[in-house]
Amino acid sequence: MFAWLNQIVQVSWMNLKNIPQRAGASLVIVVGIAGVVGVLTAILSMGAGFRATLGNAGFEDRAIVMRNGATSELSSGLSREQADVISGAPGIRRDANGKPIMAAELLVIADLPKASTGTLANAAVRGVQPGSFLLRPEVKITQGRMFNFGTREVIVGKQAAMQFSGLKLGSRIAFRDSDWSVVGIFEAGGSANESELWADAEVVQSTYRRNGFQSVSVALENKSALKTFKDALTADPRLQVKVSTMKQYFAAQSEVMSKLINVLGYSVGLIMAVGAIFGALNTMYAAISTRGREIATLRAIGFGAMPVLVSVLLEAELLALIGGAIGALLAYLLFNGYTAATLGSNFSQIAFDFRVTAALMGQGMVLALAIGLIGGFFPAWRATRLPVATALRAE
Amino acid sequence: MDALVSLVSIRNLVKTYQRGPEKIEVLHGIDLDIPRGDFVCLMGPSGSGKTTLLNLIGGLDSPTSGQIDFDGKRIDQMSSSKLTQWRANHIGFIFQSYNLLPMLSALKNVELPLLLTKLTAAQRRHNAEIALQLVGLKDRIKHKPSELSGGQQQRVAIARAIVSDPQLLVCDEPTGDLDRKSADEILSLLTQLNQEHGKSIIMVTHDPKAAEYAKRIVRLDKGTLVAASA
């Protein structure tokens, strides 16, 4: 066993030291694998970023109430009376004055020009109440000020301000035949709320000629209070509603898009990986065939076929590892934090940052090693199966 | 000569190759003995089976039937891995095109067979230096093969072949790629190793001048031994 290991170490060390002398062939493997890992990681980072953005808005001690059967806020509807009934349910956390921390909100769409193309796109306008801010303490005004209730003033989420033109602090925007002033820019901990415009719910209602709301969000006393809250609402004959934690709600919202991105990512990654495997195979075959006589000489002298095989594989894996690391690093440097926008399930733009996470980079490295293993194994296997006497005569 | 006194004893050796659906018998029942300390030259026209016989004696290939004893031990029945180990301990190879590893220095090339032993790095280096000194290349130990002449490269190959002190040197056209002067130097070196260091040598060559250095010549034709001369 020791002799066997010793042979592996000796032959591998010799091979590795000589990689610079085979720079061209080695570079082809490294670049090919870097490309696969880079593209796969970048595509999947889109899904990770999208999930994180929607997931950020979801906390387990917050609940959202919508009409039964609604799949998103846009398809939901609750009357003022229903909102009042919900506010009296048990399980809602209360503020210092004993008032329930909750907000009945409506979500409407405004057509605004996109900053990138100038074409009109759907911007989400959320009509909020004072409770909306208590519910979401992560919302912070970073520029300007809070809007005054009862006026046509809006505050704009950080991502929305970047995605749409004309949403700079102090600018005036027109939608639904009315003029609105942008008085503040806010952040919301990287959540989907950052892609929205917030204004007084009552003013939004009057502008859009609506009476009711679309959802009621509440802060729960704690995670376990959800059951009390939910049971009370579902048992109430005046309400036909569904209750979910915000985490559940946003998970459901992001599901379709995440799946799409993952399917896209993995299928593109798979196609590229197959290409890279053949590329690596080709290169490794070429590399091994030029060293066929070297390998045969080593075997004639007394080195075993297995140590030679393992050493060639180690070389392939090292190159794959370097390629994988370069690909993952490039994906990180180029795409981590890159902002993109897509249509959310409320038919409004949701901006999100690509997230090149450690897990994704790890996944890329595993793929790189798999390509190296497959690409290296067959030529190495062939080289060591060839009879020594035949291989010694090979040119 | 029987197997007990011979270093190599070959009986009724047959080697058949499969080429597509066709079976080609290259050696047809060879009997041959090589005593210890012999320097035997295998000659014959191309395709006569010289290299096949040499490969079988050197353990690079296995016979289809027949028996090969080396120092009283049958090698024709050894598994591939046992044969590999056996080669490392008993045989030194010298090839026509030297087969040195191009990226290694002369010293590192010579050290190669010693990587399979338990010698320390210092001992390996010491033994390799002695072998290189013996072939007259002590001052070229750091040179890569591409920095050496053909004759010098073959000397390095000879140093590599003798560094682990094998009993038999198996030489396949060792002077085939060399000019006359370098060829004579290499053949003199082989003679010296045979006469002064007791190395048994079997050499395949087409060159009658090279064959003159051997103690005896064995001729093959179409896979059969046709004559042996002293």
Side-chain angles (χ1 to χ4, degrees), chain A residues 322-345:
Chain A
I322 295 170
I326 291 173
L329 192 69
L330 278 178
Y332 180 83
L333 294 175
L334 293 175
F335 293 104
N336 196 41
Y338 175 79
T339 303
T342 185
L343 211 57
S345 54

Side-chain angles (χ1 to χ4, degrees), chain A residues 296 299 382-393, chain B residues 17 60-61:
Chain A
R299 289 173 61 205
R382 181 175 172 268
T384 51
R385 297 299 295 170
L386 207 61
V388 183
T390 311
L392 278 172
R393 283 198 298 271
Chain B
Y17 288 112
L60 290 175
D61 207 348

Side-chain angles (χ1 to χ4, degrees), chain A residues 2-3 6-7 10-11 14-15 17-18 21-22 293-294 297-305 387-390 392-393 395, chain B residues 17 51 55 60-61 84-85 87-88 91 93 95 97-104 108 112-113 115-118 124 144 160:
Chain A
F2 169 78
N6 183 43
Q7 285 187 38
Q10 303 285 5
V11 181
M14 202 164 66
N15 274 348
K17 270 199 304 189
N18 292 310
Q21 297 190 28
R22 296 188 294 274
R293 198 189 282 184
E294 255 175 57
T297 305
L298 287 173
R299 289 173 61 205
I301 286 172
F303 286 88
V388 183
T390 311
L392 278 172
R393 283 198 298 271
E395 285 305 319
Chain B
Y17 288 112
T51 300
N55 287 340
L60 290 175
D61 207 348
T84 303
Q85 218 171 350
R87 285 199 301 269
I91 306 290
F93 288 99
F95 305 102
S97 38
Y98 332 127
N99 286 22
L100 298 175
L101 271 59
M103 57 284 174
L104 300 184
K108 290 290 174 192
L112 270 178
L115 295 176
L116 299 164
T117 65
K118 288 180 178 166
R124 288 200 302 260
K144 297 242 172 100
R160 181 181 66 188

Side-chain angles (χ1 to χ4, degrees), chain B residues 8-179:
Chain B
V8 181
S9 172
I10 294 170
R11 293 290 172 267
N12 199 24
L13 195 69
V14 174
K15 180 66 186 178
T16 308
Y17 288 112
Q18 187 85 35
R19 192 169 293 160
E22 202 183 351
K23 274 190 175 173
I24 299 167
E25 192 169 288
V26 183
L27 297 176
H28 320 290
I30 303 275
D31 290 320
L32 178 68
D33 286 289
I34 302 171
R36 279 170 218 284
D38 202 357
F39 184 169
V40 58
C41 177
L42 277 179
M43 292 191 81
S46 291
S48 59
K50 306 181 299 288
T51 300
T52 302
L53 180 59
L54 192 76
N55 287 340
L56 290 169
I57 294 170
L60 290 175
D61 207 348
S62 294
T64 308
S65 65
Q67 186 172 335
I68 308 173
D69 286 275
F70 186 96
D71 205 10
K73 218 176 206 176
R74 282 190 73 164
I75 63 163
D76 55 279
Q77 294 176 327
M78 283 183 184
S79 67
S80 169
S81 60
K82 278 259 182 279
L83 207 53
T84 303
Q85 218 171 350
W86 173 84
R87 285 199 301 269
N89 294 329
H90 299 281
I91 306 290
F93 288 99
I94 299 163
F95 305 102
Q96 179 176 352
S97 38
Y98 332 127
N99 286 22
L100 298 175
L101 271 59
M103 57 284 174
L104 300 184
S105 67
L107 185 73
K108 290 290 174 192
N109 263 295
V110 176
E111 270 191 50
L112 270 178
L114 300 179
L115 295 176
L116 299 164
T117 65
K118 288 180 178 166
L119 294 180
T120 63
Q123 287 169 322
R124 288 200 302 260
R125 186 187 165 91
H126 178 69
N127 289 7
E129 281 175 353
I130 289 176
L132 280 164
Q133 189 170 18
L134 198 67
V135 299
L137 284 179
K138 182 81 193 316
D139 56 339
R140 293 279 194 276
I141 60 172
K142 287 189 177 157
H143 288 62
K144 297 242 172 100
S146 58
E147 298 158 351
L148 299 169
S149 69
Q152 287 171 329
Q153 289 187 55
Q154 194 59 297
R155 282 165 183 271
V156 175
I158 293 172
R160 181 181 66 188
I162 60 172
V163 74
S164 51
D165 198 21
Q167 288 157 282
L168 179 66
L169 297 183
V170 170
C171 315
D172 190 2
E173 298 268 15
T175 57
D177 283 0
L178 300 177
D179 58 58

